[in-house]
Amino acid sequence: MLASSKRGLAVTVPEALFETKDGGMSWTKLDVPTFGVLGLGWDDQAGVALQTPLSWTRWDQTANTFPPLGRTPAKGRFKLAARPSRGPDANALAEGRAIFLDGQYLEAAREEGASRGSSWRTGNERWLLWRGATGGPLKSSPLDVASGCQTVRLAGSGRFIYLACSKGGSGVNQTLVLQRSDDAGKSFEREPYAIEGRVAELALAVGPRGELAVTGICAQHTTSRGCLPHGIHHRRIAPADAGAGDAATKSNTKGAGSAASKPDAGTGAKPKKDGGVDEIEWELTPSAVPALKGAALAMAYSPDGRTLLAIGRRTKGSGLAVFVSKDGGASFEGREIEQVEGNFDEPDPVEDRWARPPPTPTVNVSALGPAEDGTFAIVVRSTGAPSVIVVDDDGRVISAARAPGEANNVGAVGSRAVAFSDTTRMAWESLDGGATWDPIGRLPVSMCRPAAYGCTSTVRCYPGGCVIGNELSRVGWRGQSDDDQGVFSPNEGGLGDVFDRKVGTPLSCTLDEKPWQLLEGVAAAPAASHAAIGKAAWFALTQDDRRASASVYHAFGGPKPKVESVSLLAPVKKPNDVAYTATSQIVGAAALRYSAPEAGATHLRNVEVSWDNLLDGKVVRARIADAGPAGVNDFTRSGFAAQRAQPNLLSIGSGGIYLRIHYSQGEAQPTLFLDGRSTVSIPEVSWPGSSTYGSRTEMAHVGGTHVPLMLVGSGAALVRARRDGAGWAFDSMATGTAEPARFGLTQVRDLAYSKGASGLQVMTWDPDGNRNDNLLFLFRATGAVAEPPLVLPTQLDSGDKPTRCGSAHKTNTPRVVVPYQGGTRHPVVVTDTTEPMRVLLTGQAVMHGSAKEPCTAAFDAEVVVIDPSVGTPEQERAIIVMDDLERSWIFRTTYGTIGEARLEYRLMSCHFDPTLEPPPEIFGQPGTRLRRAK
């Protein structure tokens, strides 16, 4: 951030501050200790301000120091100095008068002062063509070819543009004339056939070689006036024996300015000796669109021109369907969209103008947005919130989602969407087809006039951004929220991203002959965080409220695989007299139980604490005779079974376990450290305030010192408390990004261990790209808050076929759980002689080593539903053990006679199979697309 035209400050992750004195041409690192800088802001009085986990500081440029600001930065609201020049208009895009063409916006608009006046009555309409780069000013030029047109429609691709003009008609129908340009609109040539249709239903789609598809027009053989538009028509070369009286409309032209007329367009046109081409007859002929009712509701080509997709109603019923053509619009195959329910039938005509009109259709298609990766977004409006349906280039539904919150308007292209509320002006963005919506601030202006009732504005999106109404354009995606400024601002400019389908080497697995076996009392299948730890292939915690007991299942592979149960809390005879809890931890599981105070009793007595540390291979037990007076919500009653204890902290650490038993006291209580032999009490910590990004406190055992810690946000910063006389002093450092979503990134944090030392693992990554940082900050008791970060491996580092971890890697490098990124998930195809085939995709991985020498110890995997009618169980997971692939594990959830969930497991033998071709349905799942490098 610049404080003046020359001097400014920058912050990096991991935390470091850099100063510029030449307007950003060069930067110098400042020699200052870390203090947890999360971001930079501006204060109208103090200038550059720095946000830390617990407060704001200011930059004293004279001494290069950072004293407290003492308040939140104050800055004035943004105001435009002048009214912006004319820009894109979403209403024109919705009407079909405007298009985006190779980074340019083109719009046909009536000349100001000539709209619906005398010129309309005299048939002397004057039109302009507005043109300009997206995000820049538009310039107009006369559109003489549209002179006299009452309405104009545009469609185009590459250098080809079609213009439809209506100059009159009979009843609800109009006569339409088509003009064609093969030089991006610089000149037009009339198509010598005329068609009849309805402008309100007219839609044109143009392919990259000039292919044309039209809907909303009448069949050419219809001679009666007032005909009903039906089907889809496409432009083709007329058959050689087609007569003048055929159903098709034809033209004789020398090439007709068409790319399809040229020898290299694959049309069969033969060059003459003089360099021309044979005369070609063109026609607009009906396409084969089985089951389409009436005209299509929307049509669009994919950017690569391989797919023409139309949305329409089916003749059987009134459902919505996708119709896909791979041959330039000659024929289509339909696929119903089952996720959309509603009535698309036309209302019956009203005879009595005073009668109550029938209900209008409850569902309609608002927009169709094709993206570069072959996906299409269908925006559907209904009586409720707008919805986004994303389909692939075969018409299969990838996702279906509703708009967020109070949003009443949605624009989408592919899996990217923007939603906003006309009432509150709040806006959201989604990059996953509406599965998640991130707030991105408020629209800077209202799209509705104050007096407008029930106003609904228009939004249209394209791969490079969105247009809202006729005043707002948003270039780029991955927006950021700036509520103070009230600016709807993008973080990235330019055109949208292109994705390639990609997965890792598939795994082929065969179920073991032994039947499914029950894991009694286990609520959920193990994940990667429970796998490949110590000597165990996986572990699972089980609890029994009826006996106030807890135990841990340990699974072991090898020649004789087995599952053993280790007790943490033995069953008691009177469970309703005790309170207990058990939790899974980073290194195992921990449990707590004590006598629940009855009437007249006030203390928590006979406290049992036990923990299973799989890294150390030990189960340790400890006991506290009296843990002090019971407080409100220290435990909760739940009928005749055991009560549920609610400690503030129960965390396994190096050499023991930390406990704050009283929920009611929060952090205002001593923390106990138990190692099975003794109990140490650490004084309570009064943390100075709280972070706006959220936080939780932890404890670490570092070289014999007990260190209180605060973990800020999703890994944004680390705050440490250290003894300073009779009190505590605090140090902090930034470990990650405070708001990763503003940069199109995801960030997670967790605790991890390296050779017995604990630290904070922070991974920041692009879910569909190759950006990632995976760092481990080992805690320190004195000096710097943490050691210089260790660079950890990611799944992208391991390649298509990961390397298994040897004993040296497991012993000498940290064990970390790593999420997947685009292109790193492995299909897992499981077969059996009697059960149906199931397909899973790997998810998180347990990894060791480094970014340069990564290795994988285990994957977890989740089932992908290929065909729901086959009855493939949806609740299935697997643990793929890399160093023992022939003894991997699969889990399924079944339900008993009274509906209780039961988890079962079974062994399976797996191996990598590069020749295995997984079903294409998996590519609708997250992590199966990789952003193409620009």
Side-chain angles (χ1 to χ4, degrees):
M1 177 172 285
L2 292 177
S4 62
S5 60
K6 295 292 185 180
R7 198 166 184 190
L9 199 65
V11 60
T12 64
V13 177
E15 182 181 346
L17 289 173
F18 291 81
E19 181 188 15
T20 180
K21 295 182 179 180
D22 53 12
M25 298 295 292
S26 62
W27 295 86
T28 303
K29 185 177 180 180
L30 297 181
D31 185 16
V32 295
T34 63
F35 54 98
V37 180
L38 301 177
L40 302 175
W42 180 262
D43 184 85
D44 286 341
Q45 297 179 2
V48 176
L50 298 87
Q51 186 180 21
T52 72
L54 303 176
S55 64
W56 283 87
T57 63
R58 61 182 180 87
W59 180 27
D60 184 342
Q61 301 179 46
T62 303
N64 255 342
T65 58
F66 304 92
L69 179 62
R71 54 181 171 80
T72 301
K75 56 183 177 179
R77 293 187 61 82
F78 179 79
K79 294 182 180 180
L80 294 175
R83 184 174 179 81
S85 59
R86 192 183 196 281
D89 185 350
N91 297 302
L93 290 165
E95 291 177 21
R97 290 189 292 107
I99 56 174
F100 285 101
L101 198 68
D102 292 343
Q104 292 276 315
Y105 171 82
L106 286 80
E107 177 190 337
R110 288 184 179 87
E111 186 178 15
E112 292 186 8
S115 176
R116 293 301 182 192
S118 60
S119 62
W120 172 68
R121 290 191 294 269
T122 60
N124 192 27
E125 290 277 348
R126 295 189 299 275
W127 292 81
L128 300 176
L129 182 64
W130 291 88
R131 185 196 300 260
T134 56
L138 303 180
K139 295 183 179 180
S140 66
S141 59
L143 188 60
D144 295 334
V145 71
S147 178
C149 297
Q150 293 181 10
T151 58
V152 170
R153 297 291 182 264
L154 290 179
S157 176
R159 61 187 176 92
F160 299 100
I161 297 177
Y162 283 87
L163 182 150
C165 164
S166 71
K167 294 188 177 182
S170 174
V172 296
N173 289 354
Q174 295 85 35
T175 299
L176 302 168
V177 176
L178 289 179
Q179 303 277 352
R180 175 187 172 94
S181 170
D182 60 3
D183 55 11
K186 295 178 182 178
S187 63
F188 284 86
E189 183 176 349
R190 177 171 175 169
E191 295 278 276
Y193 49 80
I195 53 180
E196 183 176 343
R198 300 182 181 180
V199 172
E201 300 180 30
L202 181 68
L204 295 83
V206 180
R209 298 198 307 172
E211 304 94 328
L212 173 66
V214 184
T215 189
I217 63 174
C218 302
Q220 299 300 305
H221 65 272
T222 303
T223 58
S224 62
R225 309 301 294 175
C227 62
L228 291 175
H230 179 80
I232 298 173
H233 297 68
H234 68 283
R235 184 178 186 267
R236 73 170 186 180
I237 298 176
D241 59 346
D246 277 17
T249 299
K250 307 167 189 177
S251 67
N252 292 325
T253 174
K254 299 201 181 265
S258 169
S261 69
K262 294 179 173 54
D264 61 355
T267 66
K270 298 180 180 180
K272 289 183 176 181
K273 293 181 179 180
D274 60 2
V277 295
D278 289 330
E279 289 190 358
I280 299 174
E281 290 188 347
W282 294 93
E283 66 179 5
L284 204 58
T285 189
S287 305
V289 196
L292 173 64
K293 181 178 181 180
L297 302 175
M299 264 190 331
Y301 265 98
S302 61
D304 61 9
R306 297 178 181 178
T307 303
L308 172 59
L309 187 140
I311 310 297
R313 296 165 290 189
R314 295 181 66 89
T315 53
K316 296 181 179 180
S318 57
L320 189 67
V322 177
F323 299 89
V324 178
S325 174
K326 300 287 187 178
D327 54 9
S331 63
F332 290 78
E333 291 186 5
R335 189 184 298 272
E336 191 164 359
I337 304 178
E338 299 177 351
Q339 289 80 356
V340 178
E341 296 180 357
N343 179 23
F344 290 84
D345 287 337
E346 297 286 347
D348 295 330
V350 180
E351 299 295 340
D352 182 0
R353 66 192 183 99
W354 301 111
R356 181 183 297 274
T360 56
T362 57
V363 180
N364 63 73
V365 175
S366 174
L368 176 63
E372 315 88 322
D373 59 356
T375 60
F376 293 77
I378 308 167
V379 179
V380 178
R381 285 189 174 276
S382 64
T383 53
S387 299
V388 179
I389 311 294
V390 182
V391 300
D392 63 13
D393 54 4
D394 288 322
R396 296 184 179 90
V397 174
I398 298 174
S399 64
R402 283 187 172 272
E406 72 270 24
N408 68 328
N409 226 319
V410 171
V413 54
S415 58
R416 291 159 289 184
V418 162
F420 61 91
S421 167
D422 282 306
T423 304
T424 65
R425 299 180 12 228
M426 290 300 299
W428 298 262
E429 180 185 60
S430 176
L431 301 177
D432 53 14
T436 58
W437 293 93
D438 296 319
I440 51 174
R442 289 161 57 92
L443 301 182
V445 295
S446 176
M447 295 291 99
C448 296
R449 296 199 233 6
Y453 175 76
C455 167
T456 300
S457 56
T458 303
V459 56
R460 286 296 182 269
C461 294
Y462 65 105
C466 293
V467 178
I468 303 174
N470 60 359
E471 294 187 71
L472 296 179
S473 293
R474 181 173 188 259
V475 179
W477 296 88
R478 294 186 183 87
Q480 57 192 8
S481 173
D482 191 347
D483 288 332
D484 183 71
Q485 295 283 13
V487 175
F488 185 56
S489 53
N491 185 55
E492 286 190 357
L495 295 176
D497 299 318
V498 179
F499 295 86
D500 295 311
R501 293 178 172 182
K502 189 178 187 304
V503 292
T505 304
L507 284 149
S508 177
C509 300
T510 305
L511 290 179
D512 189 73
E513 295 180 354
K514 292 182 179 179
W516 292 93
Q517 301 182 58
L518 178 66
L519 285 172
E520 188 173 356
V522 179
S529 56
H530 309 103
I533 180 168
K535 297 180 179 180
W538 53 266
F539 75 93
L541 175 66
T542 174
Q543 304 177 65
D544 187 349
D545 289 353
R546 297 168 298 177
R547 298 185 292 178
S549 62
S551 58
V552 183
Y553 286 109
H554 292 180
F556 300 95
K560 296 181 179 180
K562 59 183 178 179
V563 177
E564 298 178 344
S565 179
V566 176
S567 175
L568 292 180
L569 297 174
V572 297
K573 294 181 179 180
K574 297 181 179 181
N576 58 329
D577 290 343
V578 301
Y580 90 113
T581 191
T583 64
S584 293
Q585 307 264 309
I586 298 298
V587 296
L592 167 74
R593 184 171 64 191
Y594 51 76
S595 298
E598 299 296 334
T602 60
H603 281 230
L604 303 182
R605 303 184 187 279
N606 303 318
V607 179
E608 301 173 74
V609 185
S610 57
W611 61 99
D612 178 15
N613 189 327
L614 277 84
L615 283 181
D616 294 342
K618 297 179 181 179
V619 177
V620 186
R621 308 179 192 279
R623 185 177 294 272
I624 303 172
D626 189 341
V632 178
N633 294 328
D634 281 357
F635 64 93
T636 59
R637 295 194 171 275
S638 56
F640 296 100
Q643 314 309 311
R644 183 64 60 180
Q646 300 185 128
N648 176 264
L649 177 69
L650 183 65
S651 177
I652 299 174
S654 179
I657 192 168
Y658 289 99
L659 171 64
R660 288 196 293 266
I661 197 169
H662 300 289
Y663 177 91
S664 56
Q665 297 181 27
E667 296 165 9
Q669 61 180 308
T671 301
L672 304 179
F673 180 76
L674 301 87
D675 61 6
R677 299 181 301 274
S678 61
T679 300
V680 176
S681 179
I682 299 102
E684 67 180 80
V685 179
S686 296
W687 297 94
S690 59
S691 172
T692 57
Y693 299 105
S695 62
R696 75 177 178 90
T697 57
E698 264 290 352
M699 295 290 300
H701 199 191
V702 182
T705 302
H706 301 291
V707 181
L709 301 166
M710 176 184 285
L711 314 182
V712 178
S714 60
L718 176 65
V719 184
R720 178 190 65 191
R722 53 181 170 80
R723 297 298 293 174
D724 184 15
W728 295 93
F730 302 93
D731 309 297
S732 62
M733 70 174 295
T735 53
T737 305
E739 298 179 78
R742 295 177 65 170
F743 304 95
L745 302 173
T746 302
Q747 184 171 281
V748 295
R749 54 142 167 87
D750 212 337
L751 299 179
Y753 288 82
S754 177
K755 299 180 181 179
S758 59
L760 179 67
Q761 176 201 357
V762 179
M763 181 170 174
T764 309
W765 78 98
D766 178 354
D768 297 315
N770 54 15
R771 293 179 58 187
N772 62 62
D773 290 295
N774 195 11
L775 304 175
L776 177 61
F777 299 85
L778 294 175
F779 304 131
R780 296 187 58 176
T782 58
V785 177
E787 301 285 352
L790 299 175
V791 180
L792 302 175
T794 69
Q795 291 198 45
L796 273 179
D797 298 323
S798 62
D800 288 342
K801 186 177 180 181
T803 304
R804 69 179 184 89
C805 295
S807 57
H809 280 113
K810 293 181 179 180
T811 302
N812 299 323
T813 62
R815 172 192 177 272
V816 291
V817 178
V818 182
Y820 63 80
Q821 285 184 257
T824 64
R825 303 187 77 176
H826 297 265
V828 183
V829 179
V830 183
T831 57
D832 184 62
T833 56
T834 59
E835 295 192 12
M837 182 188 77
R838 65 253 296 158
V839 179
L840 300 91
L841 276 173
T842 60
Q844 294 184 314
V846 180
M847 300 190 71
H848 291 267
S850 64
K852 294 183 178 180
E853 296 183 0
C855 68
T856 304
F859 288 104
D860 63 16
E862 60 183 2
V863 74
V864 178
V865 180
I866 303 299
D867 185 359
S869 64
V870 177
T872 303
E874 294 188 32
Q875 298 186 38
E876 289 194 1
R877 296 189 66 87
I879 296 294
I880 310 296
V881 184
M882 283 293 295
D883 62 355
D884 198 10
L885 280 174
E886 294 184 354
R887 282 162 285 272
S888 293
W889 310 74
I890 188 169
F891 306 86
R892 72 178 185 185
T893 300
T894 60
Y895 296 91
T897 55
I898 59 174
E900 73 279 10
R902 307 181 341 156
L903 187 69
E904 300 174 328
Y905 73 90
R906 193 170 174 180
L907 283 161
M908 59 182 183
S909 177
C910 301
H911 67 278
F912 282 101
D913 184 357
T915 65
L916 183 64
E917 292 189 9
E921 286 82 359
I922 67 169
F923 292 103
Q925 300 298 313
T928 58
R929 302 185 310 160
L930 180 63
R931 182 178 292 105
R932 189 179 299 174
K934 296 182 179 180

